[in-house]
Amino acid sequence: MFKRILQQLIQDRSFRHKAIILLGARQVGKTTLLKEIISEQREKVLYLNCDEPSTVSALTKRNLEDLKMLVGTNKLIVIDEAQKVDNVGLTIKLMVDNMPDVQVIATGSSAFELRNRLNEPLTGRKYEYQMFPISTEEIYKTKGYIDVLKLLETRLIYGSYPDVLNQDEEPKSILNMLMDSYLYKDILISENLRKPDVLDRLLRALAFQVGSEVSYNELAQTVGTDSKTVERYVELLEKCFIVFRLNGLSRNLRNELKKAKKIYFYDNGIRNAVIQQFAPLGIRNDVGALWENFFISERMKYNHYNGHYCNMYFWRTRSQQEIDYIEEADGFMTAFEMKWNPKKGSTSFPKSFMEAYPVASTHVITPENYHNFLM
């Protein structure tokens, strides 16, 4: 089992008169993390599973006296799958404001309603974290440097979900189970989608376009719907932590592409499961896209867990000059180019970009050096 970075972060932030909100896709290890935190807790713990109707009913009663009866003498209150409770933010607010010795940790596998229900009531009253599939840094801290190197091809093909890396079952079976049983659950239930086949076709189209710019109009034609539906479905997939968008940087140069966007998957394994492509890297024609998706998603994990706040972009002009990935922080930019095989293609950065923007550093990311930027 992998030691999760968020465990220490959450323990360090506990009992500071604020709720802790833990978001993340299903099966990324939130419940396992909670159990680890509970096992090391000296105070009494109340674990509330919101898959149980009686728990939901008890948390829906926002009478302070009833909540005090529910909490009793417990000091740590864990509310798992909190998005299933109406107005759960108001319930947690009552606890935070009136029970100063109690720590509330709430988790959610979907940002559909949980963020909306929490943001206003818990303004200034919460720490919020997102949990991802296993990160390079977590592998290093748990298993060591050799395992980071050994697991690279596995992670590019099968991804980094805990069950995949723990190798309890054949990874293809695990990923297909995730796709069939968990991944779309919140979308299908919360949005009452009547045409999940459109969602399936959209995911396939996005999987084939990883690393390329996407057009909602073109995607709509491909999947047989309209651009508004495509945009809405992409937003839903983002809220379920399946994909994320990267916008194009466009500020200084006239021929920069405005409103450009790319869409990546949080996990390579999910991307490959969508198109049922698990061939070894040596015979694939999409290694460049896999490498780009892998590094950007890993960099997102690293920045989030280490408190590195930045804006994320890619850059491209009408004359086909481009940079794969850019981070902007404190007024300066760091540019990255991903090269699975650095001997192929140019490794220089466009002069027009370097002159137009305040660039702090540039990096060509290869299989030989990528880990230096992720742990």
Side-chain angles (χ1 to χ4, degrees), residues 93-105:
K93 178 179 181 293
L94 278 174
M95 292 182 180
V96 172
D97 288 349
N98 296 281
M99 305 176 194
D101 296 331
V102 170
Q103 175 63 57
V104 179
I105 301 177

Side-chain angles (χ1 to χ4, degrees), residues 253-316:
L253 303 181
R254 184 175 298 176
N255 68 340
E256 289 174 332
L257 293 175
K258 301 183 187 302
K259 298 183 179 179
K261 54 190 166 293
K262 293 183 179 183
I263 295 176
Y264 295 92
F265 283 72
Y266 276 104
D267 187 74
N268 274 38
I270 296 301
R271 182 266 181 182
N272 290 331
V274 167
I275 56 177
Q276 287 297 301
Q277 176 55 274
F278 299 106
L281 296 181
I283 61 172
R284 298 182 73 120
N285 60 9
D286 61 351
V287 176
L290 289 179
W291 184 235
E292 187 173 324
N293 194 106
F294 172 79
F295 180 78
I296 293 174
S297 61
E298 286 297 305
R299 186 69 180 175
M300 181 184 290
K301 299 175 190 178
Y302 176 81
N303 286 337
H304 183 73
Y305 291 156
N306 288 278
H308 296 167
Y309 302 105
C310 63
N311 296 314
M312 301 163 52
Y313 306 99
F314 71 97
W315 180 82
R316 192 177 181 192

Side-chain angles (χ1 to χ4, degrees), residues 148-216:
V148 169
L149 303 181
K150 282 174 23 181
L151 286 171
L152 179 59
E153 180 161 353
T154 295
R155 298 174 71 206
L156 284 170
I157 298 171
Y158 297 109
S160 303
Y161 270 78
D163 285 349
V164 168
L165 294 184
N166 287 325
Q167 298 178 335
D168 295 328
E169 297 179 42
E170 210 276 329
K172 280 189 274 190
S173 301
I174 295 170
L175 288 167
N176 286 324
M177 179 195 69
L178 274 171
M179 295 288 295
D180 293 340
S181 303
Y182 295 105
L183 225 53
Y184 306 156
K185 187 174 180 181
D186 290 307
I187 296 178
L188 298 177
I189 293 175
S190 300
E191 297 298 310
N192 192 25
L193 295 187
R194 297 179 182 178
K195 293 184 178 180
D197 55 320
V198 174
L199 185 65
D200 288 334
R201 291 199 296 272
L202 175 60
L203 267 173
R204 285 180 59 82
L206 293 174
F208 282 120
Q209 292 193 39
V210 162
S212 302
E213 290 172 53
V214 298
S215 159
Y216 288 160

Side-chain angles (χ1 to χ4, degrees), residues 2 139-140 142-152 155 370:
F2 293 90
I139 295 173
Y140 174 68
T142 306
K143 303 283 188 178
Y145 179 63
I146 296 300
D147 273 62
V148 169
L149 303 181
K150 282 174 23 181
L151 286 171
L152 179 59
R155 298 174 71 206
Y370 77 97

